[in-house]
Amino acid sequence: MTTSIIHLRWLCSVLPALVNAFSSSAPVVLPEVHPAHVTKINQLVEAALGDEGDANDNRYVFAQDAVTSFQANDESPPSNELVYGELSVQVLATILDAVGVQENDVFLDIGSGDGALVLGASLLYADANDEAIEGGNAMKKCYGVDIVPGLVERSLSHADNLYQILQNKENFLQRNQAEIELLLGDIHQPDAQLQNILKETTIAVCFATTWSAENSVGTSLQGRKLPKLSKALSRGLSSGCRVVIIDGKLDEGDEFLW
């Protein structure tokens, strides 16, 4: 298996060089998402999440409460296993533009939390012309997986909110949103459903900052490897999948290239 991985620490300084690394790939990639469209999608996702005024801060508190409750009532993770963190839709757009989205890509957010990236990915590449892209969206499907039940419940509620918001908008976003699936699962020990999703995935994103040192080795970007995650993804992902790891590193010994 040969799988490309990108490790991000400072997006602005690292991503331009990485775009060139993918320029020789045969599949045609879509143009970068226009900033105005990114802004529109971000506003829709914020509305679905309920991020208005100080509500964003409150949402983070509630999300972290869900993590804390899970750790207090579940014996499987270490006491310092998880810390809630989240990337923005703008950062997601930058990441996807860097790896090069292709038609029929399948997106997976590993540790999807409140579901923001999954919701954003489902709309960023919706086709405004309804004809330029088969199916109306370059993203064939958008998945999110999280180990915390409370976060999965919250993300499902946010996905429902976005659906209701889009129903009130008779436009291409309402028609061409990619299919979303948010599920409870352990990426290190995937069940049959998650194993199938991993095989289907063509773009995977993981915000490794939210994971504790007990799943990593070292502290710097070059030294903070994630051997447990690396093994799991090496076993589960299909050849050619593009994997973006923020603030962490997979093992080239598991046949990852970057």
Side-chain angles (χ1 to χ4, degrees), residues 83-146:
V83 177
Y84 188 78
E86 188 176 286
L87 299 176
S88 68
V89 171
Q90 292 91 335
V91 170
L92 174 64
T94 302
I95 289 171
L96 294 178
D97 285 341
V99 301
V101 171
Q102 304 158 14
E103 287 193 35
N104 295 315
D105 266 332
V106 176
F107 174 84
L108 171 63
D109 184 9
I110 300 168
S112 49
D114 268 358
L117 295 195
V118 179
L119 302 187
S122 74
L123 292 173
L124 280 172
Y125 292 89
D127 179 21
N129 298 320
D130 289 320
E131 298 177 354
I133 300 175
E134 183 179 355
N137 197 316
M139 288 292 184
K140 182 179 179 181
K141 194 163 183 177
C142 297
Y143 292 103
V145 59
D146 207 289

Side-chain angles (χ1 to χ4, degrees), residues 33 37-38 40-46 48 89 92 96 116-128 136-139 142 162-163 165-166 169 171-180:
V33 181
H37 183 65
V38 176
K40 178 186 293 185
I41 301 309
N42 183 63
Q43 290 171 344
L44 289 170
V45 171
E46 286 185 342
V89 171
L92 174 64
L96 294 178
L117 295 195
V118 179
L119 302 187
S122 74
L123 292 173
L124 280 172
Y125 292 89
D127 179 21
N137 197 316
M139 288 292 184
C142 297
L162 181 61
Y163 175 81
I165 291 170
L166 293 177
K169 298 179 181 295
N171 59 25
F172 71 96
L173 293 176
Q174 185 261 345
R175 293 190 300 274
N176 296 331
Q177 181 188 18
E179 183 181 353
I180 287 174

Side-chain angles (χ1 to χ4, degrees), residues 2 14-16 24 26 35 51 66 95 100 111 118 124 143 150 190 206 209:
T2 301
V14 177
L15 283 176
S24 60
D51 288 351
I95 289 171
V118 179
L124 280 172
Y143 292 103
C206 177
T209 302

Side-chain angles (χ1 to χ4, degrees), residues 21-77:
F22 287 91
S23 62
S24 60
S25 58
V28 177
V29 302
L30 273 68
E32 293 185 2
V33 181
H34 193 280
H37 183 65
V38 176
T39 298
K40 178 186 293 185
I41 301 309
N42 183 63
Q43 290 171 344
L44 289 170
V45 171
E46 286 185 342
L49 297 174
D51 288 351
E52 299 176 356
D54 295 331
N56 179 268
D57 294 334
N58 293 332
R59 181 171 65 81
Y60 276 96
V61 171
F62 294 141
Q64 185 58 53
D65 285 347
V67 173
T68 302
S69 176
F70 168 66
Q71 291 176 273
N73 295 287
D74 193 294
E75 296 179 357
S76 57

